[in-house]
Amino acid sequence: DAKTTQPPSMDCAEGRAANLPCNHSTISGNEYVYWYRQIHSQGPQYIIHGLKNNETNEMASLIITEDRKSSTLILPHATLRDTAVYYCIVRVSHSGAGSYQLTFGKGTKLSVIP
Amino acid sequence: DTAVSQTPKYLVTQMGNDKSIKCEQNLGHDTMYWYKQDSKKFLKIMFSYNNKELIINETVPNRFSPKSPDKAHLNLHINSLELGDSAVYFCASSHSDRENTEAFFGQGTRLTVV
């Protein structure tokens, strides 16, 4: 799976949009971009994933550049509960036994400030 | 209803002891995993089981032995515990036959070896 690069930390004011960048310049055509987050002392939580097109769900939006070498996770209205470490993961998505191995990097520690 | 549950949440034990961590999922998933998060907060996969069969076994000492009595359970037994085994251990589960599925993680077991 391709490697990702994220800033180690970011701050965001409560109520504002949090934009978390991720570089994945070596991404292959069949690799998806996944985002997970880990709130302090909890297990990782799935947020969103995408291949080429921008994606949106109830938690966040994912913007992937046309060349797919970078992406941005957007939390539209950050709350204090969004303070967490956010992981950008690139992986080949295919069904089959053991195919969901996730390789976590260091992630971005997002601090939402009141 | 907890999707992926681990017990115990905290475990403090002496060096040389043998201990087990239990994991159960009620999501109907056929694949389960153990991840280890060390003191530097890196999350790494240890094992992956699909339909009770070992699929992934990363470079983990053979003192660690996963056991899957059925698809809904994956227990981790650790023999001759060492100080370096102190970490947070996360269990996770997912479907194997669906592309782009997400993994669900338990809340973790914080193991402290003294």
Side-chain angles (χ1 to χ4, degrees):
Chain A
D1 293 338
K3 185 177 177 180
T4 62
T5 304
Q6 300 177 251
S9 64
M10 291 181 63
D11 290 341
C12 178
E14 187 179 15
R16 303 296 293 269
N19 297 286
L20 293 95
C22 179
N23 285 325
H24 30 79
S25 58
T26 60
I27 192 170
S28 300
N30 62 346
E31 288 182 311
Y32 285 69
V33 180
Y34 281 76
W35 283 84
Y36 277 75
R37 73 179 181 183
Q38 186 174 23
I39 297 171
H40 181 61
S41 298
Q42 296 183 21
Q45 176 190 23
Y46 166 83
I47 301 174
I48 199 167
H49 75 277
L51 181 63
K52 298 181 190 177
N53 300 322
N54 299 336
E55 302 287 345
T56 296
N57 63 20
E58 65 279 2
M59 289 183 69
S61 295
L62 174 61
I63 309 297
I64 302 174
T65 58
E66 194 168 341
D67 63 7
R68 303 210 321 122
K69 293 185 177 181
S70 65
S71 60
T72 301
L73 178 74
I74 301 172
L75 307 178
H77 305 287
T79 70
L80 298 179
R81 287 176 294 181
D82 291 323
T83 292
V85 177
Y86 287 77
Y87 297 99
C88 170
I89 300 168
V90 173
R91 61 175 290 270
V92 174
S93 183
H94 55 80
S95 61
S99 62
Y100 206 83
Q101 179 178 349
L102 293 169
T103 303
F104 288 86
K106 297 181 182 179
T108 296
K109 181 173 173 53
L110 175 69
S111 298
V112 180
I113 302 167
Chain B
D1 290 341
T2 303
V4 181
S5 59
Q6 299 177 226
T7 54
K9 188 172 182 180
Y10 300 97
L11 182 55
V12 181
T13 187
Q14 290 186 327
M15 283 176 55
N17 284 349
D18 302 338
K19 290 293 179 185
S20 292
I21 306 171
K22 295 185 177 181
C23 179
E24 176 182 5
Q25 54 94 5
N26 61 4
L27 298 166
H29 291 160
D30 61 354
T31 304
M32 297 184 71
Y33 314 81
W34 278 109
Y35 283 80
K36 178 181 179 181
Q37 188 166 38
D38 59 25
S39 58
K40 295 183 179 179
K41 303 299 184 183
F42 286 114
L43 261 166
K44 291 185 180 179
I45 191 166
M46 300 173 68
F47 301 102
S48 166
Y49 263 74
N50 176 259
N51 285 319
K52 304 194 298 176
E53 180 184 349
L54 180 64
I55 301 299
I56 294 173
N57 183 354
E58 292 296 315
T59 306
V60 176
N62 56 15
R63 297 182 293 104
F64 290 78
S65 54
K67 294 281 192 301
S68 181
D70 55 58
K71 287 196 302 183
H73 296 83
L74 181 61
N75 304 324
L76 184 64
H77 188 76
I78 315 171
N79 290 327
S80 303
L81 278 156
E82 300 177 357
L83 294 177
D85 297 332
S86 296
V88 182
Y89 293 84
F90 289 99
C91 177
S93 71
S94 72
H95 285 292
S96 70
D97 62 350
R98 303 177 191 177
E99 295 195 4
N100 303 318
T101 187
E102 64 195 81
F104 289 81
F105 285 78
Q107 291 302 295
T109 296
R110 182 174 295 276
L111 172 65
T112 304
V113 182
V114 298

